[in-house]
Amino acid sequence: MQHSRFPLTPVTQSRLAQVDFDNLGFGSTFSDHMFSMVYEDGAWTNPEIMPYQALAIEPGVAMLHYGQTVFDGYKAFRGEDGQARIFRPDRNASRLHDSCQRLCIPIMPLAELTEIMLQATRELIELDHAWIPSQWGHSLYIRPLVIGTEATLEVRAANRYRFLIMTSPVGSYFNNLQKGVSLRVEDRFTRAASIGGLGAAKTAANYAASLLPGAQSRAQGFDQVLWLDSNAHRYVEEVGAMNIFFKIAGRVVTPPLGGSILPGVVRDSALTLLRDWDIPVEERRIAIDEVIEAFRSGDLEEVFGAGTAAVICPVASIGYQDEIYSIAGTPPGELTLRLYDELTGIQYGKIKDRHDWNQYVALPD
Ligand code: COI
């Protein structure tokens, strides 16, 4: 084990024996330990690793009322070679930094945040290595969270914060690589404002805004929402909590990052792989009419979502204005499957990590 840097209070009794690794679901089980740091009197202090536990929070804490909270998510995978691979955590540190800045959270400089996040993640993984699932498709999901903890009802940035990193053994977010998901195009509610809003930040408000349309979609028999822009309700933005890709007549199109869309790490990885493979890629606005038009002309070859939780998720059908458009062929499409296989291959150590995306932690036997 490498030298640990943060003070540690270990659990007196591990909860590991209670975990049903065959029925993990997503994010309902938390590993024994978490990392914690506090911000007070203008400085980030007290980094430590402690048992995962309830927080004592006053009801008057502004974060509970006004939503000054950001999070991120990345994964560690158990490789057959006895190493855990953490997939691109530096990108998540950078996005967490951006999210904090947008939410007016006085985060530490990026280099320091990255270093602390990586070190804390390594120490958590070493300590709770037995919590990393071994089944293919399963992983240890790592969830950093920054919350304002000052009790005040004034609408302003808090002067006290807590930075936590918890980990959770997870199964696949959707169990549907073969079936694909059905989408309903949401043309009334939006996930985030197209210009000047919070869409690019990983913050609670965007997920809160998605709950009602998500529930309405499920009540109508759809799995996920396909989000449109908030101005014209015309341009495709995201799918559920993922980035969206369309393969149209041999070219892959995905909406550009422009402030309203989450800069997904898997989105970036998929774009890199597609470019490696010389597949034409376009990051550009795509109207829902263009998607329907491509469907009608037979040019819409594949549709898939990309995200940390689901990795690559095939889309089987799109419901828009009382019509259901079933994407050709049986999911997953050829390119969708190629991306899924390549990404998971890199994450589990079966395929060479040409871009140095993984960070490695040696696991005890
Ligand atoms: C992701 O897959 O990137 C997510 O953020 C999903 C999470 C909100 C469950």
Side-chain angles (χ1 to χ4, degrees):
M1 183 184 281
Q2 70 175 67
H3 181 66
S4 45
R5 173 169 141 198
F6 303 117
L8 165 68
T9 310
V11 290
T12 45
Q13 173 98 51
S14 171
R15 289 175 285 102
L16 185 65
Q18 297 154 25
V19 180
D20 178 0
F21 277 89
D22 291 328
N23 292 293
L24 281 175
F26 188 89
S28 46
T29 306
F30 294 92
S31 318
D32 281 333
H33 297 92
M34 67 181 186
F35 171 80
S36 166
M37 216 171 164
V38 293
Y39 178 89
E40 55 196 8
D41 301 325
W44 285 99
T45 59
N46 287 358
E48 57 180 316
I49 292 181
M50 55 171 62
Y52 175 83
Q53 60 194 272
L55 305 176
I57 290 216
E58 283 184 52
V61 159
M63 167 270 295
L64 296 174
H65 303 256
Y66 310 133
Q68 200 192 15
T69 160
V70 302
F71 69 95
D72 218 286
Y74 49 106
K75 283 175 168 173
F77 302 83
R78 182 184 289 278
E80 280 173 8
D81 59 356
Q83 300 195 85
R85 287 166 172 78
I86 318 168
F87 189 67
R88 307 192 76 182
D90 48 321
R91 299 291 292 218
N92 298 87
S94 159
R95 189 170 64 186
L96 187 72
H97 192 265
D98 292 345
S99 299
C100 283
Q101 290 192 320
R102 180 63 185 88
L103 271 286
C104 205
I105 295 172
I107 196 63
M108 60 199 90
L110 176 60
E112 194 183 336
L113 176 68
T114 306
E115 208 262 309
I116 288 179
M117 257 170 81
L118 282 181
Q119 179 68 19
T121 305
R122 286 178 169 281
E123 291 189 24
L124 286 172
I125 286 176
E126 284 174 349
L127 200 57
D128 287 336
H129 61 87
W131 289 78
I132 310 174
S134 41
Q135 202 176 313
W136 183 268
H138 293 192
S139 57
L140 190 73
Y141 182 75
I142 302 150
R143 170 58 66 96
L145 173 75
V146 188
I147 52 176
T149 52
E150 181 194 4
T152 174
L153 297 185
E154 288 177 17
V155 180
R156 60 168 171 77
N159 59 24
R160 277 205 300 277
Y161 296 85
R162 191 98 181 254
F163 172 26
L164 301 167
I165 304 178
M166 62 205 92
T167 72
S168 169
V170 296
S172 340
Y173 195 70
F174 307 111
N175 208 355
N176 48 21
L177 191 62
Q178 298 310 322
K179 192 167 142 271
V181 287
S182 58
L183 309 183
R184 180 182 66 90
V185 178
E186 175 59 67
D187 52 8
R188 179 171 169 229
F189 296 114
T190 47
R191 171 193 165 270
S194 292
I195 301 170
L198 296 173
K202 212 152 170 69
T203 187
N206 297 327
Y207 296 84
S210 77
L211 299 180
L212 178 63
Q216 290 174 342
S217 293
R218 282 191 296 280
Q220 292 170 38
F222 297 94
D223 297 313
Q224 291 282 312
V225 175
L226 186 62
W227 302 105
L228 300 181
D229 74 289
S230 71
N231 284 358
H233 295 270
R234 198 173 154 220
Y235 296 99
V236 175
E237 299 232 308
E238 290 192 20
V239 52
M242 294 179 282
N243 296 114
I244 180 95
F245 289 74
F246 301 94
K247 180 162 174 263
I248 301 175
R251 307 181 76 78
V252 177
V253 183
T254 193
L257 304 178
S260 61
I261 290 175
L262 194 80
V265 178
V266 177
R267 174 190 183 278
D268 180 80
S269 311
L271 286 173
T272 302
L273 293 176
L274 291 167
R275 289 181 176 125
D276 284 354
W277 298 337
D278 288 328
I279 293 173
V281 174
E282 296 169 15
E283 289 181 76
R284 64 162 171 87
R285 296 219 292 179
I286 175 160
I288 187 65
D289 314 334
E290 182 185 339
V291 175
I292 303 303
E293 195 43 54
F295 174 87
R296 293 217 165 100
S297 67
D299 284 342
L300 185 61
E301 293 160 356
E302 294 180 43
V303 184
F304 57 90
T308 295
V311 192
I312 298 289
C313 176
V315 172
S317 65
I318 298 177
Y320 181 50
Q321 296 182 338
D322 302 326
E323 293 265 356
I324 306 277
Y325 302 91
S326 295
I327 317 300
T330 311
E334 201 181 315
L335 184 62
T336 307
L337 189 59
R338 187 174 176 199
L339 277 170
Y340 176 86
D341 284 344
E342 184 80 12
L343 280 166
T344 49
I346 294 168
Q347 290 170 333
Y348 288 96
K350 299 265 183 210
I351 292 180
K352 190 169 158 40
D353 178 17
R354 292 188 313 276
H355 295 282
D356 286 334
W357 283 337
N358 293 321
Q359 304 269 341
Y360 298 82
V361 180
L363 298 175
D365 296 333

